[in-house]
Amino acid sequence: MSPRGLLHPDESALFVETATHEPAPEAAPFVEFYWHVRWHAPEPHDTKVLAHPNVHLVFEEPEPLVYGVDRGLFVRRLEGEGHALGIKFRPGGFRSFADGPIIDLADRHVPASQFFGPEIAEAHRAVLDAGDPAAEAEAFLLPRLPAKPDPLAEEVAEMVKRITDDPSLTRVAEAARTLNMSTRTLQRLFAEYVGASPKWVLRRARLHEAAARADQGTTIDWAVLAADLGYSDQSHLTRDFTAAVGTSPAAYARP
């Protein structure tokens, strides 16, 4: 199954192989999964992703980087042959490693040494040369995890899951009521732990669903889909999708 959020997955599958690996139980409170991507691109190929509300630590050439939540369209050009190993942290799971709110990382990628020190340079080479890079990355991460997970970070991860799994929630005020807190508190927690606003998280979940439907290759009634996703009308879905992806949903779905 193609990762949710990857645009035109059938096209990318011609050049890219992706595998995911579950974290060990002691890492699970912090890590959603490890992902490993290999590519062979005879010609330069741009992969495009509607990112999720997660921070990633990526072991890639020429150096390991930490990626904050990309609130736009993430585009990565692949050329020749290569691979990368990523640690996808749970929403809130990276907060223990940062000196400030995770919103400060939004739309940025920074050298991982800023968070893990110079020793990550040696781990970087070991991960990329390993037969099992996910296991190697986890061996580096485990001794650096906090002794105890932040209970508030775990609560925020559950908040993200609840509001993205419930298609009836389309407004921040509705989400806040469902979570029994004020809108201001919800916004503050998301800035501190997630790195994106609740409004962005709600909207991105709907766009993930719209792109997934479009990639199925079947005829879509966009007005019905817009209603299913909680939009007041089709034009609002079209506007959101076009702003995020760069093309209308109908044009994106066209072969």
Side-chain angles (χ1 to χ4, degrees):
M1 179 181 293
S2 299
R4 193 172 180 85
L6 175 66
L7 301 183
H8 297 300
D10 290 344
E11 180 181 329
S12 289
L14 298 174
F15 310 98
V16 181
E17 296 179 8
T18 303
T20 59
H21 307 273
E22 294 297 314
E26 55 268 45
F30 304 90
V31 174
E32 195 164 308
F33 58 77
Y34 305 94
W35 52 264
H36 186 211
V37 172
R38 291 188 179 276
W39 63 88
H40 173 73
E43 301 292 335
H45 172 71
D46 288 340
T47 59
K48 299 179 180 181
V49 179
L50 288 172
H52 295 252
N54 303 79
V55 174
H56 295 251
L57 166 59
V58 182
F59 294 88
E60 60 182 331
E61 297 293 3
E63 64 174 333
L65 298 171
V66 169
Y67 288 80
V69 178
D70 194 319
R71 295 172 297 184
L73 180 64
F74 178 80
V75 181
R76 173 68 180 270
R77 172 155 289 193
L78 303 178
E79 299 183 73
E81 296 185 5
H83 74 123
L85 186 285
I87 301 175
K88 182 180 182 180
F89 288 87
R90 299 181 72 204
F94 194 78
R95 181 63 185 86
S96 299
F97 299 99
D99 293 332
I102 298 302
I103 195 68
D104 293 344
L105 283 171
D107 306 320
R108 299 175 58 211
H109 56 271
V110 298
S113 58
Q114 293 186 20
F115 303 94
F116 297 96
E119 61 268 27
I120 199 170
E122 183 177 347
H124 174 241
R125 193 71 270 148
V127 169
L128 292 184
D129 289 345
D132 187 346
E136 191 71 33
E138 186 164 75
F140 172 81
L141 181 66
L142 284 178
R144 293 165 175 81
L145 294 175
K148 292 183 179 180
D150 179 347
L152 194 50
E154 293 185 304
E155 290 179 24
V156 171
E158 183 59 28
M159 291 176 195
V160 172
K161 185 177 188 306
R162 285 183 65 185
I163 69 174
T164 55
D165 285 353
D166 188 346
S168 70
L169 295 177
T170 60
R171 297 182 182 277
V172 176
E174 295 171 346
R177 283 195 297 271
T178 297
L179 298 168
N180 298 311
M181 64 182 60
S182 69
T183 297
R184 185 180 296 274
T185 297
L186 183 61
Q187 292 169 333
R188 177 180 59 79
L189 287 172
F190 272 50
E192 184 73 26
Y193 284 92
V194 179
S197 70
K199 181 178 180 180
W200 182 92
V201 172
L202 287 167
R203 179 175 294 173
R204 183 52 58 98
R206 291 189 286 176
L207 293 179
H208 281 156
E209 180 62 23
R213 299 272 192 98
D215 282 320
Q216 290 176 357
T218 58
T219 301
I220 298 174
D221 186 325
W222 294 106
V224 171
L225 178 58
D228 288 346
L229 296 178
Y231 285 96
S232 57
D233 55 42
Q234 181 179 341
S235 65
H236 283 84
L237 167 60
T238 299
R239 184 161 58 246
D240 272 4
F241 193 97
T242 303
V245 177
T247 187
S248 71
Y252 173 84
R254 197 173 299 135

